[in-house]
Amino acid sequence: MRDLKIPTSRHPEKAHRPDNAQPKKPDWIRVRAPGGEGYASTARIMREHGLATVCEEAGCPNVGECWNQGHATMMIMGEICTRGCTFCNVATGRPDALDVFEPGRVADAVKKLGLNHVVITSVDRDDLDDGGAEHFAMTIRAIRKQAPDTTIEILTPDFLKCGPDALEKVVEARPDVFNHNLETVPGLYPEVRPGARYFHSLRLLQRVKELDPMMFTKSGIMVGLGEDRQAVHQVMDDMRAADIDFLTIGQYLQPTPKHHAVAKFVTPDEFKGYEKAAYGKGFLMVSATPLTRSSYHAGDDFARMRAARQAKVNRA
């Protein structure tokens, strides 16, 4: 029987890879162990509703802080991904069938948590004809019904093996923010994200703006995988050419010895340099710190992004 707590069962595609040393983390990315009343309450609601979270499945370092505030990024369509990216700690394999009752449970949890802003993500589902697009749309509609005042941010797969109507289904459900992460620079895709295509992911985000010019778009990358500064700046330029509003940049942290090695721990000053450059290129919102993750402080950042757009309109 497969046990996702055992690394060889969780990542069978990585079992025969050579081990990569896991370097000691510098002081600037140390975090407290999860705990506290808020953390326990959030965990209880997730368990009662039978929901998976990317916070746990991907081993996010910010889980203690976010869950203490009642913020959890819900991961729909199961906890097993059809891809095997070398950076990711989400389990790989053949997923179970979709749970048609999941959108309602997600909406009920959002209501019970009293969230002003929620982030919904998923595993890749290359086994489904639409990549899970309709399931995303159903989840958005269910949240709108149960928690109409909650703003909704989605972090989707790339829908690489689907027709164009898959993306259209999701955009028609009208999330407030459409996020899809490029994850790394194009030169590292064969090594880091072998099942994906850089320019397809970029085009996906560009199409969101073509379908709905007012929808906020967002994307992120990790650094410390072996990229250089020039390549990061080129990704920023590519994102702005696709009219992406919000950029996140965070430090890659290696989940296990079988995962991609950490090539470098990027310093806080280097992150500040990336942030300054990104704002100079025209992003409405930038989060660039060692501990930045896609949904870290997402609600506060969404409010700032919306205010930045309004200020830009007022200046025009």
Side-chain angles (χ1 to χ4, degrees):
M1 180 123 181
R2 189 174 183 190
D3 184 347
L4 298 186
K5 293 180 181 178
I6 300 173
T8 52
S9 294
R10 188 175 185 86
H11 300 292
E13 82 290 353
K14 297 179 176 69
H16 300 295
R17 287 171 56 92
D19 286 356
N20 290 312
Q22 292 178 278
K24 183 180 178 182
K25 296 172 186 173
D27 292 341
W28 62 78
I29 51 176
R30 302 286 173 84
V31 294
R32 286 185 177 182
E37 185 177 338
Y39 178 90
S41 176
T42 301
R44 184 172 62 254
I45 291 172
M46 294 300 105
R47 301 295 171 265
E48 286 173 355
H49 291 75
L51 300 175
T53 69
V54 76
C55 321
E56 296 170 291
E57 298 303 324
C60 179
N62 305 315
V63 62
E65 178 186 347
C66 293
W67 282 32
N68 260 319
Q69 298 170 11
H71 300 159
T73 298
M74 299 177 205
M75 191 170 77
I76 59 175
M77 298 194 285
E79 56 189 13
I80 299 175
C81 186
T82 54
R83 304 273 177 95
C85 299
T86 61
F87 67 86
C88 185
N89 200 37
V90 174
T92 303
R94 180 178 294 178
D96 296 327
L98 289 181
D99 178 355
V100 296
F101 299 106
E102 183 178 53
R105 294 202 310 275
V106 169
D108 192 48
V110 170
K111 183 178 180 180
K112 286 184 177 176
L113 286 165
L115 299 180
N116 294 321
H117 186 84
V118 64
V119 182
I120 306 295
T121 189
S122 79
V123 290
D124 276 286
R125 291 297 302 257
D126 293 322
D127 59 311
L128 302 173
D129 289 341
D130 72 348
E134 180 59 28
H135 202 77
F136 260 104
M138 289 171 61
T139 303
I140 294 166
R141 291 193 290 265
I143 295 170
R144 293 279 186 231
K145 186 174 181 179
Q146 291 243 45
D149 295 329
T150 301
T151 50
I152 302 171
E153 179 173 327
I154 56 169
L155 173 54
T156 75
D158 58 14
F159 304 119
L160 179 63
K161 300 181 180 180
C162 311
D165 59 326
L167 179 64
E168 291 163 11
K169 285 180 187 177
V170 181
V171 174
E172 284 170 5
R174 296 190 60 78
D176 296 282
V177 182
F178 191 110
N179 185 1
H180 171 66
N181 285 332
L182 297 185
E183 306 292 8
T184 187
V185 302
L188 290 177
Y189 260 56
E191 183 181 343
V192 173
R193 205 177 173 219
R197 301 293 179 268
Y198 176 80
F199 287 104
H200 171 86
S201 287
L202 198 62
R203 176 63 182 143
L204 183 88
L205 289 156
Q206 187 178 40
R207 283 194 63 228
V208 172
K209 283 291 192 182
E210 292 170 358
L211 293 165
D212 186 345
M214 296 307 294
M215 188 170 290
F216 288 105
T217 51
K218 177 177 176 180
S219 190
I221 62 169
M222 300 167 288
V223 289
L225 285 158
E227 72 294 325
D228 60 30
R229 188 172 302 178
Q230 182 178 353
V232 173
H233 281 259
Q234 184 60 58
V235 170
M236 293 182 194
D237 290 337
D238 292 345
M239 286 187 183
R240 287 305 301 134
D243 202 19
I244 293 168
D245 299 302
F246 188 166
L247 168 66
T248 61
I249 306 177
Q251 170 70 51
Y252 167 63
L253 298 175
Q254 184 181 343
T256 75
K258 297 295 184 183
H259 284 76
H260 193 287
V262 174
K264 176 185 178 181
F265 286 111
V266 179
T267 67
D269 284 344
E270 288 176 280
F271 276 102
K272 287 178 183 176
Y274 283 139
E275 178 186 48
K276 183 178 179 180
Y279 275 123
K281 293 175 185 293
F283 288 96
L284 288 177
M285 184 69 203
V286 180
S287 178
T289 72
L291 288 173
T292 289
R293 297 296 182 268
S294 292
S295 53
Y296 189 45
H297 296 160
D300 293 338
D301 287 345
F302 171 69
R304 283 194 284 270
M305 178 169 58
R306 190 160 51 178
R309 175 187 278 177
Q310 188 58 51
K312 186 176 180 180
V313 169
N314 293 342
R315 288 194 301 269

